[in-house]
Amino acid sequence: MMDELTGRGAVSEKKSGFAAYLRRVWAVAAKDVRTELRAREIVVTMAAFAVLAAVVFGLAFDLRVPRAELVVPGILWVIVLFTGVLGLQRSFGSETDRGTLTGLLLAPVERSAIYFGKVAANLLYFLIVEALLAPTLLILFDVNLAQPIILLGLLMGTLGYAIVGTLFAALTVRSRAREALLPVLLLPVLAPLFIAGVSLTAVVLDARPAGEAWRWVGILALYDALFLAIALLLFDLIWEQG
Amino acid sequence: MTGQTPLIRCDKVTKRFGGKRVLRDVSLSVSGGEILSLVGANGSGKTTLLRIVAGLERLDAGEVWLGPVPLSAAHHEIRRYIGVVDHAPLLYDRLTAVENLQFFARMYDLAAAEDRITRLLHAFELWPRRDDPVRTFSRGMLQRLAIARAILHEPPVLILDEPDSGLDRESLAMLAGLLAEFRRGERAVLISTHDRNRAAAWSDRICELREGRLHPITDLERSEQ
């Protein structure tokens, strides 16, 4: 069908298949990370906010809670959620502010490849911030979060957050009120993830049976898989045209 | 290619923003080796029409064809055949010139990317600044790199939205030379510009967008500009 165009000497080659798709995902993610390494406007902001929020929570609950294990699961996940919104705002926001989104949309790639590239970069940013947050909470509350099931839950919860958050960031990026709109739309959808994350962390810190913790891990896995499927189905439509 | 099918064809394209009809039954065609300039006042719909042809804007009625392919039914691969120079340079200001072109080369699955990037940077006289972040570039350099990005994958269809905006004399001469090359290379080029004299110098045909309708400007009118 495109012979009349292809005969015109375009040097780019149509490459299909999963490996080609992954290369495009990688290209978007690598570009975002490289840009962030130079600009330092997302991770630094998120990390500073996370540490400050932990300190504020530390001051708020100091001497009032008999056992820090009672509040740390909630503190951890509240900070993860609010910190994430800061990063997500910039994920597509920086592309629209700098006018580069059009360049991305002109590329002959599946929109979902752009999406997954952004998910990968956001996941990395979230995990870096969490790697700073966990020792901060250890210092402030003397609660060790470095336990395998908590870390697994944090990884799965963060993955789900990156999947859903990146989708909503793309949905709201063309809105003038995106800074306000994103958290308002996003936080209710994240409620199941938040509840599962807090519950899983509490179960482990309370040294309750491991089976209970694994149930929450299963719920997080289900959440991730569900929204991954939704994102795959929706993302090409969100940005198809205009 | 039959030689008959235009590479760009708009058939009764209509676009509304709210209640306002910005484009009314606009029809045009551009064949390979032809340059068509769109002129018109600010807000006349030039950019909207170019964005529709580039597949960046939905149309309300009509159809755009790229070669034999209707844009409304086209796969995302159709974008491989379009190059766009926009108002914004579409470049990442924290990345260097080379890194920007490498990124887009990956997105277009460009064969022999490094050779092509090197040739383009030399051709646009950006080679000495290849490793500098794009944010340190002047407007003229940015625009040259934006054009290099747009033709990186050698698309047969080129859409240039005010490519002369903010260019110094040297860059304008380079652009004029490039357009002559595009014509020889049998590309179909659709340009918007405010400057009628430049449009006359650059293009085979000129059309004016006025009140949403396209009015061809005849040779006589061109000579009067």
Side-chain angles (χ1 to χ4, degrees), chain B residues 180-215:
Chain B
E181 216 171 282
F182 290 161
R183 188 184 285 135
R184 282 195 297 276
E186 298 212 333
R187 289 197 168 92
V189 185
L190 187 57
I191 307 178
S192 84
T193 178
H194 283 294
D195 192 316
R196 287 172 180 245
N197 293 326
R198 276 183 206 145
W202 288 343
S203 31
D204 302 290
R205 286 186 293 136
I206 305 175
C207 290
E208 181 173 11
L209 265 171
R210 210 164 50 224
E211 292 170 355
R213 295 190 190 281
L214 204 61
H215 302 273

mmCIF file of all heavy atoms in Angstrom, chain B residues 180-215:
data_model
loop_
_atom_site.group_PDB
_atom_site.id
_atom_site.type_symbol
_atom_site.label_atom_id
_atom_site.label_comp_id
_atom_site.label_asym_id
_atom_site.label_seq_id
_atom_site.Cartn_x
_atom_site.Cartn_y
_atom_site.Cartn_z
ATOM 1 N N ALA B 180 15.769 23.908 -2.742
ATOM 2 C CA ALA B 180 16.066 23.589 -4.144
ATOM 3 C C ALA B 180 16.484 22.125 -4.270
ATOM 4 O O ALA B 180 16.110 21.424 -5.220
ATOM 5 C CB ALA B 180 17.175 24.507 -4.663
ATOM 6 N N GLU B 181 17.227 21.667 -3.266
ATOM 7 C CA GLU B 181 17.666 20.269 -3.252
ATOM 8 C C GLU B 181 16.480 19.318 -3.074
ATOM 9 O O GLU B 181 16.410 18.269 -3.697
ATOM 10 C CB GLU B 181 18.651 20.085 -2.107
ATOM 11 C CG GLU B 181 19.772 19.124 -2.386
ATOM 12 C CD GLU B 181 20.806 19.170 -1.278
ATOM 13 O OE1 GLU B 181 21.619 20.120 -1.279
ATOM 14 O OE2 GLU B 181 20.748 18.303 -0.409
ATOM 15 N N PHE B 182 15.541 19.723 -2.200
ATOM 16 C CA PHE B 182 14.343 18.897 -1.966
ATOM 17 C C PHE B 182 13.571 18.732 -3.272
ATOM 18 O O PHE B 182 13.045 17.671 -3.582
ATOM 19 C CB PHE B 182 13.402 19.549 -0.946
ATOM 20 C CG PHE B 182 13.927 19.557 0.459
ATOM 21 C CD1 PHE B 182 13.403 20.432 1.398
ATOM 22 C CD2 PHE B 182 14.936 18.696 0.849
ATOM 23 C CE1 PHE B 182 13.878 20.453 2.692
ATOM 24 C CE2 PHE B 182 15.422 18.707 2.142
ATOM 25 C CZ PHE B 182 14.894 19.591 3.064
ATOM 26 N N ARG B 183 13.499 19.826 -4.047
ATOM 27 C CA ARG B 183 12.746 19.788 -5.304
ATOM 28 C C ARG B 183 13.408 18.801 -6.272
ATOM 29 O O ARG B 183 12.751 17.987 -6.879
ATOM 30 C CB ARG B 183 12.679 21.184 -5.906
ATOM 31 C CG ARG B 183 11.741 21.251 -7.103
ATOM 32 C CD ARG B 183 11.772 22.623 -7.726
ATOM 33 N NE ARG B 183 11.044 23.592 -6.948
ATOM 34 C CZ ARG B 183 11.491 24.826 -6.667
ATOM 35 N NH1 ARG B 183 12.669 25.200 -7.086
ATOM 36 N NH2 ARG B 183 10.757 25.666 -5.989
ATOM 37 N N ARG B 184 14.746 18.875 -6.323
ATOM 38 C CA ARG B 184 15.464 17.945 -7.200
ATOM 39 C C ARG B 184 15.311 16.506 -6.706
ATOM 40 O O ARG B 184 15.281 15.577 -7.486
ATOM 41 C CB ARG B 184 16.949 18.309 -7.248
ATOM 42 C CG ARG B 184 17.269 19.495 -8.139
ATOM 43 C CD ARG B 184 18.766 19.556 -8.435
ATOM 44 N NE ARG B 184 19.576 19.759 -7.242
ATOM 45 C CZ ARG B 184 19.823 20.949 -6.699
ATOM 46 N NH1 ARG B 184 19.313 22.043 -7.245
ATOM 47 N NH2 ARG B 184 20.567 21.055 -5.613
ATOM 48 N N GLY B 185 15.200 16.362 -5.383
ATOM 49 C CA GLY B 185 15.067 15.028 -4.796
ATOM 50 C C GLY B 185 13.660 14.486 -4.870
ATOM 51 O O GLY B 185 13.369 13.449 -4.271
ATOM 52 N N GLU B 186 12.777 15.199 -5.576
ATOM 53 C CA GLU B 186 11.402 14.741 -5.788
ATOM 54 C C GLU B 186 10.610 14.592 -4.503
ATOM 55 O O GLU B 186 9.764 13.714 -4.377
ATOM 56 C CB GLU B 186 11.388 13.436 -6.593
ATOM 57 C CG GLU B 186 11.985 13.607 -7.965
ATOM 58 C CD GLU B 186 11.341 12.693 -8.990
ATOM 59 O OE1 GLU B 186 10.840 11.636 -8.594
ATOM 60 O OE2 GLU B 186 11.326 13.071 -10.165
ATOM 61 N N ARG B 187 10.916 15.432 -3.561
ATOM 62 C CA ARG B 187 10.090 15.444 -2.349
ATOM 63 C C ARG B 187 8.915 16.389 -2.569
ATOM 64 O O ARG B 187 9.013 17.353 -3.322
ATOM 65 C CB ARG B 187 10.906 15.936 -1.164
ATOM 66 C CG ARG B 187 11.952 14.963 -0.710
ATOM 67 C CD ARG B 187 12.415 15.319 0.697
ATOM 68 N NE ARG B 187 13.195 14.234 1.246
ATOM 69 C CZ ARG B 187 14.520 14.154 1.131
ATOM 70 N NH1 ARG B 187 15.191 15.074 0.501
ATOM 71 N NH2 ARG B 187 15.166 13.134 1.653
ATOM 72 N N ALA B 188 7.833 16.095 -1.887
ATOM 73 C CA ALA B 188 6.697 17.018 -1.884
ATOM 74 C C ALA B 188 6.842 17.880 -0.641
ATOM 75 O O ALA B 188 6.960 17.354 0.472
ATOM 76 C CB ALA B 188 5.394 16.244 -1.826
ATOM 77 N N VAL B 189 6.870 19.193 -0.832
ATOM 78 C CA VAL B 189 7.126 20.096 0.300
ATOM 79 C C VAL B 189 5.961 21.067 0.451
ATOM 80 O O VAL B 189 5.555 21.713 -0.519
ATOM 81 C CB VAL B 189 8.444 20.880 0.103
ATOM 82 C CG1 VAL B 189 8.743 21.726 1.345
ATOM 83 C CG2 VAL B 189 9.600 19.940 -0.184
ATOM 84 N N LEU B 190 5.456 21.144 1.665
ATOM 85 C CA LEU B 190 4.376 22.069 1.987
ATOM 86 C C LEU B 190 4.920 23.022 3.056
ATOM 87 O O LEU B 190 5.335 22.586 4.122
ATOM 88 C CB LEU B 190 3.174 21.273 2.525
ATOM 89 C CG LEU B 190 1.864 21.998 2.777
ATOM 90 C CD1 LEU B 190 1.358 22.697 1.525
ATOM 91 C CD2 LEU B 190 0.806 21.016 3.276
ATOM 92 N N ILE B 191 4.919 24.320 2.714
ATOM 93 C CA ILE B 191 5.531 25.314 3.611
ATOM 94 C C ILE B 191 4.489 26.348 4.002
ATOM 95 O O ILE B 191 3.662 26.735 3.181
ATOM 96 C CB ILE B 191 6.676 26.075 2.905
ATOM 97 C CG1 ILE B 191 7.693 25.122 2.307
ATOM 98 C CG2 ILE B 191 7.367 27.031 3.857
ATOM 99 C CD1 ILE B 191 8.801 25.849 1.556
ATOM 100 N N SER B 192 4.562 26.813 5.218
ATOM 101 C CA SER B 192 3.797 28.019 5.561
ATOM 102 C C SER B 192 4.794 29.125 5.875
ATOM 103 O O SER B 192 5.851 28.867 6.465
ATOM 104 C CB SER B 192 2.883 27.780 6.759
ATOM 105 O OG SER B 192 3.591 27.946 7.955
ATOM 106 N N THR B 193 4.478 30.309 5.434
ATOM 107 C CA THR B 193 5.337 31.457 5.733
ATOM 108 C C THR B 193 4.517 32.739 5.708
ATOM 109 O O THR B 193 3.461 32.805 5.079
ATOM 110 C CB THR B 193 6.516 31.558 4.726
ATOM 111 O OG1 THR B 193 7.294 32.710 5.034
ATOM 112 C CG2 THR B 193 6.038 31.647 3.290
ATOM 113 N N HIS B 194 5.007 33.731 6.436
ATOM 114 C CA HIS B 194 4.361 35.047 6.403
ATOM 115 C C HIS B 194 4.874 35.863 5.219
ATOM 116 O O HIS B 194 4.232 36.794 4.768
ATOM 117 C CB HIS B 194 4.693 35.824 7.687
ATOM 118 C CG HIS B 194 3.893 35.360 8.857
ATOM 119 N ND1 HIS B 194 2.535 35.520 8.926
ATOM 120 C CD2 HIS B 194 4.253 34.752 10.008
ATOM 121 C CE1 HIS B 194 2.095 35.030 10.076
ATOM 122 N NE2 HIS B 194 3.116 34.545 10.746
ATOM 123 N N ASP B 195 6.078 35.487 4.766
ATOM 124 C CA ASP B 195 6.780 36.330 3.806
ATOM 125 C C ASP B 195 6.465 35.902 2.376
ATOM 126 O O ASP B 195 6.933 34.870 1.891
ATOM 127 C CB ASP B 195 8.290 36.218 4.080
ATOM 128 C CG ASP B 195 9.084 37.267 3.345
ATOM 129 O OD1 ASP B 195 8.789 37.488 2.153
ATOM 130 O OD2 ASP B 195 9.990 37.855 3.961
ATOM 131 N N ARG B 196 5.663 36.712 1.677
ATOM 132 C CA ARG B 196 5.234 36.359 0.323
ATOM 133 C C ARG B 196 6.402 36.363 -0.664
ATOM 134 O O ARG B 196 6.414 35.584 -1.614
ATOM 135 C CB ARG B 196 4.159 37.329 -0.153
ATOM 136 C CG ARG B 196 2.823 37.101 0.521
ATOM 137 C CD ARG B 196 1.843 38.189 0.191
ATOM 138 N NE ARG B 196 0.585 37.928 0.866
ATOM 139 C CZ ARG B 196 -0.554 37.665 0.238
ATOM 140 N NH1 ARG B 196 -0.615 37.651 -1.071
ATOM 141 N NH2 ARG B 196 -1.654 37.443 0.926
ATOM 142 N N ASN B 197 7.356 37.241 -0.441
ATOM 143 C CA ASN B 197 8.500 37.283 -1.362
ATOM 144 C C ASN B 197 9.305 35.989 -1.277
ATOM 145 O O ASN B 197 9.730 35.435 -2.291
ATOM 146 C CB ASN B 197 9.396 38.484 -1.050
ATOM 147 C CG ASN B 197 8.689 39.783 -1.356
ATOM 148 O OD1 ASN B 197 7.899 39.864 -2.305
ATOM 149 N ND2 ASN B 197 8.936 40.797 -0.545
ATOM 150 N N ARG B 198 9.490 35.544 -0.042
ATOM 151 C CA ARG B 198 10.217 34.275 0.122
ATOM 152 C C ARG B 198 9.404 33.132 -0.474
ATOM 153 O O ARG B 198 9.955 32.241 -1.134
ATOM 154 C CB ARG B 198 10.477 34.006 1.601
ATOM 155 C CG ARG B 198 11.710 34.703 2.089
ATOM 156 C CD ARG B 198 11.993 34.375 3.535
ATOM 157 N NE ARG B 198 12.757 35.469 4.120
ATOM 158 C CZ ARG B 198 12.638 35.887 5.353
ATOM 159 N NH1 ARG B 198 11.780 35.301 6.179
ATOM 160 N NH2 ARG B 198 13.365 36.870 5.797
ATOM 161 N N ALA B 199 8.108 33.160 -0.240
ATOM 162 C CA ALA B 199 7.252 32.106 -0.786
ATOM 163 C C ALA B 199 7.395 32.065 -2.306
ATOM 164 O O ALA B 199 7.501 30.986 -2.906
ATOM 165 C CB ALA B 199 5.798 32.364 -0.394
ATOM 166 N N ALA B 200 7.421 33.251 -2.920
ATOM 167 C CA ALA B 200 7.544 33.318 -4.379
ATOM 168 C C ALA B 200 8.889 32.778 -4.844
ATOM 169 O O ALA B 200 8.982 32.095 -5.871
ATOM 170 C CB ALA B 200 7.363 34.759 -4.841
ATOM 171 N N ALA B 201 9.923 33.077 -4.055
ATOM 172 C CA ALA B 201 11.270 32.633 -4.438
ATOM 173 C C ALA B 201 11.431 31.126 -4.260
ATOM 174 O O ALA B 201 12.136 30.479 -5.040
ATOM 175 C CB ALA B 201 12.306 33.381 -3.608
ATOM 176 N N TRP B 202 10.790 30.588 -3.241
ATOM 177 C CA TRP B 202 11.026 29.188 -2.882
ATOM 178 C C TRP B 202 10.169 28.199 -3.666
ATOM 179 O O TRP B 202 10.573 27.080 -3.903
ATOM 180 C CB TRP B 202 10.715 28.959 -1.398
ATOM 181 C CG TRP B 202 11.678 29.543 -0.457
ATOM 182 C CD1 TRP B 202 12.943 29.971 -0.710
ATOM 183 C CD2 TRP B 202 11.443 29.775 0.935
ATOM 184 N NE1 TRP B 202 13.520 30.448 0.428
ATOM 185 C CE2 TRP B 202 12.620 30.336 1.461
ATOM 186 C CE3 TRP B 202 10.377 29.552 1.790
ATOM 187 C CZ2 TRP B 202 12.756 30.696 2.793
ATOM 188 C CZ3 TRP B 202 10.499 29.888 3.124
ATOM 189 C CH2 TRP B 202 11.678 30.472 3.612
ATOM 190 N N SER B 203 8.925 28.619 -3.993
ATOM 191 C CA SER B 203 7.948 27.580 -4.316
ATOM 192 C C SER B 203 7.507 27.587 -5.774
ATOM 193 O O SER B 203 7.688 28.551 -6.505
ATOM 194 C CB SER B 203 6.740 27.701 -3.397
ATOM 195 O OG SER B 203 6.532 29.025 -3.030
ATOM 196 N N ASP B 204 6.893 26.469 -6.145
ATOM 197 C CA ASP B 204 6.312 26.350 -7.485
ATOM 198 C C ASP B 204 4.927 26.976 -7.521
ATOM 199 O O ASP B 204 4.509 27.511 -8.523
ATOM 200 C CB ASP B 204 6.199 24.864 -7.855
ATOM 201 C CG ASP B 204 7.539 24.190 -7.807
ATOM 202 O OD1 ASP B 204 8.377 24.477 -8.660
ATOM 203 O OD2 ASP B 204 7.780 23.386 -6.879
ATOM 204 N N ARG B 205 4.221 26.842 -6.402
ATOM 205 C CA ARG B 205 2.872 27.406 -6.327
ATOM 206 C C ARG B 205 2.693 28.051 -4.958
ATOM 207 O O ARG B 205 3.305 27.623 -3.976
ATOM 208 C CB ARG B 205 1.817 26.313 -6.494
ATOM 209 C CG ARG B 205 1.686 25.819 -7.931
ATOM 210 C CD ARG B 205 0.524 24.849 -8.050
ATOM 211 N NE ARG B 205 0.760 23.618 -7.328
ATOM 212 C CZ ARG B 205 -0.142 23.009 -6.554
ATOM 213 N NH1 ARG B 205 -1.335 23.539 -6.390
ATOM 214 N NH2 ARG B 205 0.147 21.886 -5.937
ATOM 215 N N ILE B 206 1.828 29.068 -4.920
ATOM 216 C CA ILE B 206 1.507 29.720 -3.646
ATOM 217 C C ILE B 206 -0.004 29.742 -3.505
ATOM 218 O O ILE B 206 -0.730 30.011 -4.474
ATOM 219 C CB ILE B 206 2.023 31.172 -3.602
ATOM 220 C CG1 ILE B 206 3.525 31.230 -3.904
ATOM 221 C CG2 ILE B 206 1.746 31.802 -2.240
ATOM 222 C CD1 ILE B 206 4.062 32.641 -4.003
ATOM 223 N N CYS B 207 -0.475 29.432 -2.306
ATOM 224 C CA CYS B 207 -1.899 29.549 -2.018
ATOM 225 C C CYS B 207 -2.056 30.392 -0.763
ATOM 226 O O CYS B 207 -1.224 30.316 0.156
ATOM 227 C CB CYS B 207 -2.528 28.182 -1.783
ATOM 228 S SG CYS B 207 -2.640 27.182 -3.269
ATOM 229 N N GLU B 208 -3.107 31.165 -0.751
ATOM 230 C CA GLU B 208 -3.380 31.975 0.437
ATOM 231 C C GLU B 208 -4.588 31.408 1.169
ATOM 232 O O GLU B 208 -5.620 31.104 0.552
ATOM 233 C CB GLU B 208 -3.652 33.427 0.045
ATOM 234 C CG GLU B 208 -3.905 34.298 1.268
ATOM 235 C CD GLU B 208 -4.015 35.775 0.939
ATOM 236 O OE1 GLU B 208 -4.093 36.116 -0.248
ATOM 237 O OE2 GLU B 208 -4.025 36.572 1.895
ATOM 238 N N LEU B 209 -4.459 31.286 2.486
ATOM 239 C CA LEU B 209 -5.598 30.889 3.316
ATOM 240 C C LEU B 209 -6.261 32.164 3.815
ATOM 241 O O LEU B 209 -5.622 32.985 4.483
ATOM 242 C CB LEU B 209 -5.127 30.034 4.493
ATOM 243 C CG LEU B 209 -5.191 28.523 4.313
ATOM 244 C CD1 LEU B 209 -4.490 27.824 5.465
ATOM 245 C CD2 LEU B 209 -6.622 28.016 4.197
ATOM 246 N N ARG B 210 -7.536 32.317 3.443
ATOM 247 C CA ARG B 210 -8.287 33.511 3.825
ATOM 248 C C ARG B 210 -9.675 33.068 4.218
ATOM 249 O O ARG B 210 -10.347 32.384 3.448
ATOM 250 C CB ARG B 210 -8.336 34.461 2.625
ATOM 251 C CG ARG B 210 -8.405 35.913 2.968
ATOM 252 C CD ARG B 210 -8.071 36.802 1.780
ATOM 253 N NE ARG B 210 -8.803 36.455 0.576
ATOM 254 C CZ ARG B 210 -8.285 36.375 -0.642
ATOM 255 N NH1 ARG B 210 -7.021 36.594 -0.839
ATOM 256 N NH2 ARG B 210 -9.023 36.057 -1.691
ATOM 257 N N GLU B 211 -10.078 33.418 5.429
ATOM 258 C CA GLU B 211 -11.395 33.039 5.955
ATOM 259 C C GLU B 211 -11.648 31.539 5.803
ATOM 260 O O GLU B 211 -12.753 31.110 5.452
ATOM 261 C CB GLU B 211 -12.492 33.850 5.265
ATOM 262 C CG GLU B 211 -12.416 35.338 5.644
ATOM 263 C CD GLU B 211 -13.341 36.191 4.784
ATOM 264 O OE1 GLU B 211 -13.959 35.655 3.860
ATOM 265 O OE2 GLU B 211 -13.405 37.394 5.060
ATOM 266 N N GLY B 212 -10.603 30.777 6.037
ATOM 267 C CA GLY B 212 -10.735 29.319 6.038
ATOM 268 C C GLY B 212 -10.696 28.682 4.664
ATOM 269 O O GLY B 212 -10.734 27.455 4.546
ATOM 270 N N ARG B 213 -10.654 29.495 3.608
ATOM 271 C CA ARG B 213 -10.647 28.931 2.256
ATOM 272 C C ARG B 213 -9.284 29.160 1.596
ATOM 273 O O ARG B 213 -8.599 30.131 1.910
ATOM 274 C CB ARG B 213 -11.754 29.553 1.405
ATOM 275 C CG ARG B 213 -13.144 29.210 1.907
ATOM 276 C CD ARG B 213 -14.207 29.639 0.924
ATOM 277 N NE ARG B 213 -15.531 29.527 1.489
ATOM 278 C CZ ARG B 213 -16.220 28.386 1.593
ATOM 279 N NH1 ARG B 213 -15.697 27.260 1.151
ATOM 280 N NH2 ARG B 213 -17.421 28.372 2.133
ATOM 281 N N LEU B 214 -8.972 28.269 0.681
ATOM 282 C CA LEU B 214 -7.676 28.336 0.005
ATOM 283 C C LEU B 214 -7.834 29.051 -1.331
ATOM 284 O O LEU B 214 -8.693 28.684 -2.141
ATOM 285 C CB LEU B 214 -7.167 26.908 -0.221
ATOM 286 C CG LEU B 214 -5.680 26.715 -0.381
ATOM 287 C CD1 LEU B 214 -4.917 27.149 0.848
ATOM 288 C CD2 LEU B 214 -5.380 25.247 -0.665
ATOM 289 N N HIS B 215 -7.012 30.081 -1.541
ATOM 290 C CA HIS B 215 -7.076 30.830 -2.796
ATOM 291 C C HIS B 215 -5.716 30.741 -3.483
ATOM 292 O O HIS B 215 -4.733 31.276 -2.960
ATOM 293 C CB HIS B 215 -7.396 32.308 -2.513
ATOM 294 C CG HIS B 215 -8.679 32.500 -1.763
ATOM 295 N ND1 HIS B 215 -9.906 32.600 -2.377
ATOM 296 C CD2 HIS B 215 -8.924 32.583 -0.430
ATOM 297 C CE1 HIS B 215 -10.842 32.748 -1.461
ATOM 298 N NE2 HIS B 215 -10.275 32.729 -0.274
#
